[in-house]
Amino acid sequence: MSSKESCRSELRIAIRQLSDRCLYSASKWAAEQLVGIGHDPVKFTPSNTRFQRGSSSIRRKYKTHDVTVTPIAGVSYVAAPVMEEDELVDDDFYLQAKAYFDCREYKRAAHVLRDQNGKKSVFLRCYALYLAGEKRKEEEMVELEGPLGKSFAVNRELVSLERELSTLRNNGKVDSFGLYLYGLVLKQKGNENLARTVLVESVNSYPWNWNVWTELQSLCKTVDILNSLNLNSHWMKDFFLASVYQELRMHNDSLSQYEYLLGTFGNSNYIQAQIAKAQYNLREFDQVEAIFEELLSNDPYRVEDMDMYSNVLYAKECFSALSYLAHRVFLTDKYRPESCCIIGNYYSLKGQHEKAVVYFRRALKLNKNFLSAWTLMGHEFVEMKNTPAAVDAYRRAVDIDPRDYRAWYGLGQAYEMMGMPLYGLHYFKKSVFLQPNDSRLWIAMAQCYETDQLSMLDEAVKCYTRAANCNDREAIAVHNLARLLSELGRPEEAAFYYKKDLERMESEEREGPKMVEALLYLAKYYRAQKKFEEAEVYCTRLLDYTGPERETAKSILRGMRFPSMDVEHFPPNSF
């Protein structure tokens, strides 16, 4: 059997087993990868659709070579064990419990299976109790603090579940699904080390449950922790590594891993979305837009990850495309957090910040841990000058994910607006630690160092220099660095950066005060260096502008042509 056929066979079995145990999100993920294996690329490449730009180029870029599911290094994957059917399951009781479970009557489902001892029945009973506790916890949070408030409500089933699952694990009477649930309970109780051990046991015995990999990913907060995991070599591990690299901000490594996976799962919409996510974090917005256009043409009712697409359209100020996307998701499923965030972005781009906040709040009512909604709502409060509310929103975001550099950056901006640059600097440092290649973060730090309260200009120079080396698309860092070096009396370095800034403005055909400032400084610098030919070039260009700089350029030219006389004695119309 070929490698693709092997993957297809494994996924088909896994989809049935995962659905049978009510792990529907994992089953959906597996089904998406199953469809992504080995189909005719022509079928998945839109030719006569609204979204065409860049579609074929995306596949050419990332599907660079045909690979199999054997790693490049030549190490074969281990054969994953096939889970045997549980002989102790009473099908009638199990089907009744599953019916109750699907109707969200979790306590009834657990009660039906109270006397069943099969591993399959034990898992569904414990899983039903766990979800019943989660449901009650959510209700208590709404009752006590409101849908967006903080609460100390806990899942009251965790203690009994931990005791039972621990005993079953010690006696060897729990399967991979029970280990998954045990790891989930341990994670919620804060026992992360044991949770990692248990989740690794689960994926090594049954690797196709994506939910387990997702929980394990949330516990891999550093590369050292990731490298310490004793994972079997299976193709599901490649998906896991690509996803973890994404979370650890190792975007180039993540792209390489997904490129490798495209050799087998060449038509996976999930992989395309993850590639778009990595490109988004690398700020390659044109590439991200092209990928999402292709995704929507292949899967027009997709809502997952579309909020990221709306962020790209917002940043590029593509009003019509964002309006179309908002209308599309509204008709597909308006009560999804992603849909609410897309509509919120639409209203934000229109300048209707109050309406945008309404939709971000709606997203959080649907999922209080939806990270981007908290961050985007913080941005809206900043626009509305409601700094305390912005700080609260950003703090909720970092409580959910301390690795979200955008929320730390937002906190820094909020404190900077309140005239507290030292606090702002503290949060900017946290954000730049998480995203060291983002020029905006270094620029924000430099501007804090420049404030009158701190006045640490040498540190500001270091930050601007770092920003200039981080693909500063707006060229803010280069100009500010040149200005600051000029103020510090470092003319050679200032001239170097002014010239660099001028070359960039010329290549982009931009005019404005920054160009006049650069021309004037370079004219004065080269005159002082007695390089009159270079100085004359810049002075001549300044004569095309109106304002005091033009008269200064004339004075410099007079001084160079008649060095023995006071240039101030020449009438303004001498040239």
Side-chain angles (χ1 to χ4, degrees):
M1 184 183 296
S2 70
S3 57
K4 289 185 178 181
E5 286 302 317
S6 176
C7 290
R8 187 180 285 114
S9 176
E10 290 178 8
L11 283 169
R12 283 173 178 162
I13 296 171
I15 291 166
R16 289 193 291 269
Q17 291 175 333
L18 291 165
S19 297
D20 195 34
R21 287 163 177 79
C22 304
L23 297 171
Y24 299 119
S25 60
S27 177
K28 183 180 78 168
W29 185 92
E32 191 167 356
Q33 309 322 312
L34 174 64
V35 173
I37 298 176
H39 291 277
D40 184 3
V42 176
K43 179 181 177 182
F44 284 81
T45 302
S47 56
N48 296 304
T49 65
R50 179 176 178 275
F51 302 112
Q52 295 184 32
R53 181 173 64 79
S55 297
S56 60
S57 64
I58 298 300
R59 295 208 181 276
R60 283 197 299 271
K61 178 172 182 181
Y62 290 105
K63 195 171 181 180
T64 56
H65 53 273
D66 189 17
V67 296
T68 65
V69 289
T70 300
I72 297 173
V75 180
S76 299
Y77 286 123
V78 299
V82 178
M83 180 171 291
E84 297 179 357
E85 291 299 326
D86 195 341
E87 297 179 356
L88 298 179
V89 171
D90 187 314
D91 287 338
D92 294 340
F93 282 103
Y94 189 85
L95 288 174
Q96 182 186 11
K98 188 174 182 299
Y100 287 148
F101 186 99
D102 291 343
C103 293
R104 299 190 56 165
E105 298 183 42
Y106 301 125
K107 288 284 190 178
R108 292 185 75 185
H111 179 73
V112 168
L113 297 172
R114 64 191 182 280
D115 296 324
Q116 301 297 310
N117 297 319
K119 294 178 181 178
K120 186 176 176 180
S121 298
V122 167
F123 167 75
L124 187 59
R125 176 173 57 79
C126 292
Y127 191 38
L129 287 173
Y130 172 80
L131 290 181
E134 288 293 294
K135 183 180 178 182
R136 181 57 191 151
K137 182 178 76 171
E138 293 290 333
E139 292 169 352
E140 289 180 3
M141 292 178 68
V142 174
E143 292 166 359
L144 298 176
E145 297 290 343
L148 305 183
K150 294 183 179 180
S151 174
F152 295 102
V154 295
N155 187 334
R156 298 179 184 176
E157 304 290 341
L158 294 182
V159 174
S160 60
L161 285 173
E162 182 185 16
R163 187 185 307 115
E164 179 178 359
L165 291 169
S166 176
T167 302
L168 290 172
R169 175 174 175 256
N170 292 335
N171 295 332
K173 295 182 179 180
V174 64
D175 62 4
S176 169
F177 296 100
L179 289 171
Y180 157 61
L181 185 58
Y182 184 33
L184 198 60
V185 170
L186 291 169
K187 178 190 167 186
Q188 281 213 15
K189 294 198 70 177
N191 191 348
E192 295 188 356
N193 290 330
L194 183 55
R196 275 192 292 270
T197 301
V198 171
L199 291 173
V200 167
E201 290 178 17
S202 177
V203 294
N204 283 342
S205 61
Y206 186 86
W208 302 285
N209 186 354
W210 183 244
N211 287 356
V212 188
W213 294 106
T214 302
E215 296 299 331
L216 188 58
Q217 172 185 302
S218 67
L219 296 172
C220 294
K221 299 176 181 177
T222 65
V223 177
D224 291 336
I225 292 177
L226 175 63
N227 293 335
S228 68
L229 300 180
N230 186 22
L231 296 169
N232 291 340
S233 182
H234 186 271
W235 53 264
M236 284 291 290
K237 180 183 176 183
D238 294 327
F239 278 99
F240 169 69
L241 290 176
S243 185
V244 173
Y245 290 153
Q246 194 95 275
E247 291 300 313
L248 295 177
R249 308 292 173 187
M250 300 164 63
H251 303 304
N252 291 320
D253 293 319
S254 179
L255 282 173
S256 298
Q257 196 72 29
Y258 282 123
E259 177 186 1
Y260 171 72
L261 285 167
L262 277 176
T264 300
F265 302 89
N267 299 301
S268 168
N269 289 338
Y270 167 81
I271 294 179
Q272 294 287 1
Q274 297 308 305
I275 288 173
K277 184 177 179 180
Q279 294 283 19
Y280 175 78
N281 288 315
L282 293 171
R283 298 183 60 76
E284 298 291 342
F285 290 158
D286 291 338
Q287 193 76 2
V288 175
E289 186 179 4
I291 295 173
F292 275 116
E293 285 176 356
E294 182 176 2
L295 274 176
L296 280 176
S297 66
N298 295 337
D299 188 0
Y301 300 103
R302 184 184 183 91
V303 178
E304 293 94 335
D305 307 308
M306 287 299 121
D307 55 317
M308 186 193 308
Y309 181 32
S310 74
N311 293 340
V312 172
L313 297 176
Y314 181 93
K316 298 182 69 174
E317 297 184 357
C318 299
F319 183 83
S320 59
L322 182 54
S323 174
Y324 179 83
L325 179 63
H327 181 71
R328 191 169 189 161
V329 297
F330 182 85
L331 294 178
T332 300
D333 189 351
K334 65 180 179 179
Y335 293 116
R336 285 278 292 270
E338 297 92 339
S339 301
C340 294
C341 284
I342 292 168
I343 298 170
N345 273 338
Y346 165 72
Y347 281 116
S348 178
L349 191 59
K350 288 183 68 176
Q352 299 181 20
H353 302 296
E354 292 82 2
K355 278 191 175 181
V357 168
V358 168
Y359 277 94
F360 293 138
R361 286 188 182 278
R362 183 176 295 177
L364 293 167
K365 287 180 181 179
L366 296 167
N367 181 359
K368 64 182 178 62
N369 292 323
F370 198 70
L371 180 64
S372 62
W374 284 114
T375 305
L376 292 171
M377 189 163 66
H379 295 342
E380 295 307 303
F381 283 131
V382 168
E383 293 290 337
M384 296 163 63
K385 310 300 181 187
N386 189 349
T387 312
V391 169
D392 181 64
Y394 289 134
R395 287 194 182 281
R396 294 297 297 272
V398 296
D399 286 345
I400 296 168
D401 184 5
R403 294 174 291 182
D404 180 24
Y405 78 94
R406 295 179 183 86
W408 291 116
Y409 175 69
L411 277 172
Q413 280 188 313
Y415 279 103
E416 191 178 23
M417 286 175 59
M418 291 190 289
M420 304 168 70
L422 193 59
Y423 285 88
L425 185 63
H426 170 73
Y427 293 114
F428 286 141
K429 285 182 178 179
K430 284 182 174 290
S431 67
V432 84
F433 174 77
L434 294 167
Q435 189 78 353
N437 295 320
D438 194 326
S439 61
R440 298 170 301 168
L441 310 183
W442 291 105
I443 291 170
M445 285 182 61
Q447 290 171 343
C448 276
Y449 282 125
E450 276 195 274
T451 56
D452 293 335
Q453 293 98 315
L454 300 182
S455 190
M456 301 170 66
L457 302 184
D458 289 333
E459 296 298 323
V461 167
K462 293 177 183 177
C463 290
Y464 280 132
T465 304
R466 184 66 183 267
N469 295 328
C470 290
N471 193 18
D472 177 25
R473 288 186 174 86
E474 293 81 14
I476 297 172
V478 173
H479 180 80
N480 287 355
L481 181 57
R483 172 188 52 78
L484 190 56
L485 288 168
S486 173
E487 294 174 4
L488 291 173
R490 296 159 64 176
E492 292 183 4
E493 296 174 81
F496 171 80
Y497 285 105
Y498 268 125
K499 195 170 183 179
K500 189 175 181 180
D501 190 29
L502 185 61
E503 290 171 355
R504 179 161 185 166
M505 286 186 283
E506 289 171 346
S507 66
E508 297 175 358
E509 298 181 352
R510 290 192 288 121
E511 299 279 347
K514 290 183 178 180
M515 179 171 281
V516 174
E517 181 183 337
L519 289 169
L520 184 59
Y521 184 86
L522 290 170
K524 291 180 178 180
Y525 171 76
Y526 283 116
R527 182 193 63 176
Q529 297 293 317
K530 302 188 183 304
K531 296 181 179 180
F532 299 128
E533 290 183 6
E534 290 89 338
E536 187 172 354
V537 170
Y538 294 114
C539 287
T540 304
R541 292 181 61 179
L542 281 168
L543 295 177
D544 295 333
Y545 295 88
T546 59
E549 293 83 4
R550 179 180 181 181
E551 299 304 319
T552 304
K554 289 181 179 181
S555 298
I556 294 172
L557 285 170
R558 287 195 296 269
M560 290 189 297
R561 294 181 185 181
F562 305 97
S564 61
M565 302 183 64
D566 186 354
V567 296
E568 297 297 332
H569 293 166
F570 284 83
N573 57 358
S574 300
F575 298 92

